[in-house]
Amino acid sequence: MHPPVPLLVPRENSEGCEINGYEIPAKTKIIINAWAIGRDPKYWNEPEKFVPERFLDTKVDYNLKDSNFKFIPFGAGRRICPGITFATPVLELLISNLLYHFDWKLSNGMKPKELDVEESFGATMRRKNDLYVVPFKYSP
Ligand code: HEM
């Protein structure tokens, strides 16, 4: 839902071609909107809702092993992010450690429903407002 790089690195086609009936002349600059693809209701049921369970038992694979282009946080095609094998385990390790060792609460009595996930737009995208959370040590 919140890709850090919403518009992928621009491409240019070396040869003219036709896609879905549209003639694309050679040397056309193409910008892929990964943000819009991830929120397209044609592919996603209630795309704006935070439902991480939607990825359980699904064939959607962000590594694009199955050429499924509806979820492309690391880009797609030949020019995919070369850092994917580095970024994925680092993120998994970080997030699982934070979730395993701590319980988390929103600060100042804020309710989960009040949490705002607004983004500020630019070449890269980040939260518009900082997120304040309080960790409580968890011992199993
Ligand atoms: C969660 C972390 C990351 C995300 C979501 C991410 C996402 C992306 C995306 C969307 C692109 C554009 C790909 C395209 O145009 O199709 C990209 C390009 C790139 N990424 Fe990442 N990336 C991440 C981490 C990393 C890391 C850790 C490295 C290096 C260690 C890295 C190195 C690069 C480079 C060099 C490119 C440019 C590739 C090119 O233009 O050919 N990325 N990344």
Side-chain angles (χ1 to χ4, degrees):
M1 279 183 78
H2 307 281
V5 188
L7 299 176
L8 301 186
V9 186
R11 274 95 169 153
E12 192 182 275
N13 53 328
S14 49
E15 286 175 23
C17 61
E18 198 188 298
I19 300 175
N20 288 346
Y22 293 95
E23 200 167 306
I24 318 286
K27 292 198 157 288
T28 302
K29 189 157 275 179
I30 297 156
I31 296 174
I32 308 215
N33 189 342
W35 183 90
I37 291 172
R39 288 164 183 257
D40 193 334
K42 232 179 3 190
Y43 303 117
W44 300 102
N45 193 17
E46 298 194 89
E48 311 253 326
K49 246 191 179 165
F50 178 65
V51 190
E53 301 87 324
R54 68 170 89 230
F55 294 105
L56 290 173
D57 302 322
T58 168
K59 285 206 160 66
V60 175
D61 175 17
Y62 62 83
N63 279 305
L64 296 174
K65 280 189 217 115
D66 58 357
S67 300
N68 188 328
F69 292 109
K70 66 184 195 177
F71 182 47
I72 52 170
F74 290 95
R78 276 191 221 164
R79 197 166 167 176
I80 197 168
C81 169
I84 189 168
T85 47
F86 180 49
T88 312
V90 169
L91 277 179
E92 282 179 5
L93 195 64
L94 176 81
I95 293 172
S96 46
N97 267 295
L98 290 176
L99 293 178
Y100 184 77
H101 291 292
F102 299 95
D103 281 329
W104 296 88
K105 291 216 164 71
L106 291 166
S107 65
N108 300 328
M110 189 190 240
K111 301 204 173 60
K113 278 209 157 149
E114 295 162 0
L115 182 69
D116 101 76
V117 288
E118 234 185 301
E119 298 147 335
S120 68
F121 274 88
T124 57
M125 203 165 68
R126 46 162 295 157
R127 291 181 63 85
K128 189 168 175 193
N129 301 308
D130 291 338
L131 171 67
Y132 294 100
V133 283
V134 186
F136 291 89
K137 185 136 178 49
Y138 168 77
S139 320

